[in-house]
């Protein structure tokens, strides 16, 4: 087997603190080459507010709303291709996608990590660890990752939290935009909307509708995922 050239991580977007009125943080599984600024993202989203869809895609590794990423594995090129194939098979199986309003993207990630654990891609115990992270705030997830000795890398969003006058550079336009309080900030909300899914018909209503999704209760189906993988 070749030397490690890629990493696999759980990427967490937004604050996701229910005590502060937030919906759950968005989560996905990223595979990326060491030193690359882009990743292959595996996640589900709900573009119509009715059903989740598996939506793998290349995207920047860093993102203005990225809280951070928890690295789960270093992989050779061959191993990264296998992991991507396993995630694609898992994602394209509709039985693995939670019902909207019952589960969410975090359930899907926990199930996918359990599958990767069963396949020997990630370490033993990762599936149950991420199952226990469902509906926690991103700060709690970060703390638990560090407590468990995992590698955590802060994202740009961490630098903005609690900073009402923070700014970031819009890389597409080379301009500096005010971030403000992220939960109410238009730029932040628009970016989260693009991650989670937009309304049907191509119309945006981010000025009127909060981007955060409801605080879902995890589906009993996903609570049995670990048993199914044993």
């Amino acid at each position: 087997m070749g030397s490690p050239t890629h990493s696999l991580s759980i990427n967490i977007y937004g604050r996701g603190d229910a005590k502060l009125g937030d919906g759950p943080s968005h989560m996905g599984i990223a595979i990326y080459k060491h030193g690359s600024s882009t990743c292959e993202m595996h996640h589900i989203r709900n573009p119509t507010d009715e059903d989740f869809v598996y939506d793998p895609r290349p995207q920047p590794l860093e993102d203005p709303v990225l809280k951070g990423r928890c690295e789960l594995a270093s992989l050779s090129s061959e191993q990264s291709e296998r992991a991507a194939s396993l995630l694609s098979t898992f994602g394209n199986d509709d039985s693995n996608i939670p019902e909207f309003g019952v589960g969410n993207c975090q359930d899907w990630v926990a199930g996918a990590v359990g599958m990767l654990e069963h396949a020997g891609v990630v370490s033993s115990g990762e599936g149950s660890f991420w199952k226990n992270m469902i509906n926690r705030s991103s700060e709690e997830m970060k703390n638990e990752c560090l407590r468990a000795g995992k590698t955590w890398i802060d994202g740009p969003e961490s630098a903005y939290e609690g900073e009402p006058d923070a700014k970031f550079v819009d890389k597409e336009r080379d301009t500096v935009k005010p971030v403000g309080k992220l939960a109410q900030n238009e730029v932040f909300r628009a970016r989260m909307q693009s991650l989670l899914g937009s309304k049907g018909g191509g119309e945006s209503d981010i000025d009127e509708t909060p981007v955060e999704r409801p605080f879902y209760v995890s589906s009993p189906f996903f609570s049995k995922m670990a048993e199914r993988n044993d």
Side-chain angles (χ1 to χ4, degrees):
M1 197 67 68
S3 58
T5 57
H6 291 70
S7 289
L8 182 148
S9 68
I10 306 297
N11 289 22
I12 302 167
Y13 302 85
R15 185 173 59 186
D17 193 332
K19 296 187 296 293
L20 299 177
D22 299 340
S25 297
H26 184 64
M27 292 172 61
I29 301 175
I31 299 175
Y32 48 94
K33 189 173 183 178
H34 295 165
S36 176
S37 61
T38 60
C39 67
E40 179 182 345
M41 175 60 64
H42 296 265
H43 65 164
I44 61 170
R45 46 199 300 264
N46 55 329
T48 64
D49 276 345
E50 295 176 358
D51 297 297
F52 285 110
V53 296
Y54 172 56
D55 180 30
R57 52 177 166 170
Q59 68 178 47
L61 182 58
E62 299 293 340
D63 191 285
V65 298
L66 178 68
K67 171 69 176 181
R69 64 183 189 269
C70 185
E71 295 192 341
L72 303 191
S74 290
L75 309 170
S76 67
S77 179
E78 181 181 342
Q79 288 173 326
S80 71
E81 290 175 4
R82 176 172 178 257
S85 178
L86 288 168
L87 286 169
S88 179
T89 299
F90 183 87
N92 284 307
D93 183 345
D94 289 344
S95 69
N96 293 324
I97 297 179
E99 179 184 349
F100 181 70
V102 178
N104 61 21
C105 61
Q106 298 181 12
D107 292 275
W108 186 88
V109 165
V113 172
M115 175 274 298
L116 292 174
E117 177 187 343
H118 189 66
V121 176
V122 299
S123 300
S124 176
E126 289 290 357
S128 62
F129 178 89
W130 289 99
K131 176 185 170 185
N132 289 332
M133 294 301 103
I134 293 172
N135 285 331
R136 293 199 185 191
S137 71
S138 58
E139 186 66 22
E140 288 176 313
M141 294 184 200
K142 171 184 175 178
N143 292 338
E144 289 300 320
C145 286
L146 292 173
R147 187 174 293 115
K150 303 180 189 297
T151 299
W152 174 272
I153 300 172
D154 280 328
E157 195 269 351
S158 293
Y160 306 143
E161 259 188 11
E163 298 291 338
D165 59 349
K167 302 180 186 298
F168 72 92
V169 175
D170 185 331
K171 294 181 179 179
E172 294 181 358
R173 300 180 178 83
D174 291 327
T175 58
V176 176
K177 293 186 176 183
V179 173
K181 294 183 179 179
L182 292 184
Q184 290 78 35
N185 178 264
E186 181 178 347
V187 175
F188 176 83
R189 291 171 59 200
R191 183 64 192 131
M192 286 297 290
Q193 188 71 51
S194 72
L195 287 167
L196 293 164
S198 57
K199 300 288 186 180
E203 296 181 358
S204 172
D205 60 355
I206 58 172
D207 290 333
E208 299 166 3
T209 305
V211 67
E212 292 89 3
R213 302 300 180 192
F215 185 72
Y216 301 121
V217 176
S218 181
S219 166
F221 168 81
F222 286 89
S223 70
K224 298 180 184 296
M225 183 65 72
E227 298 174 15
R228 195 176 82 172
N229 286 332
D230 288 339

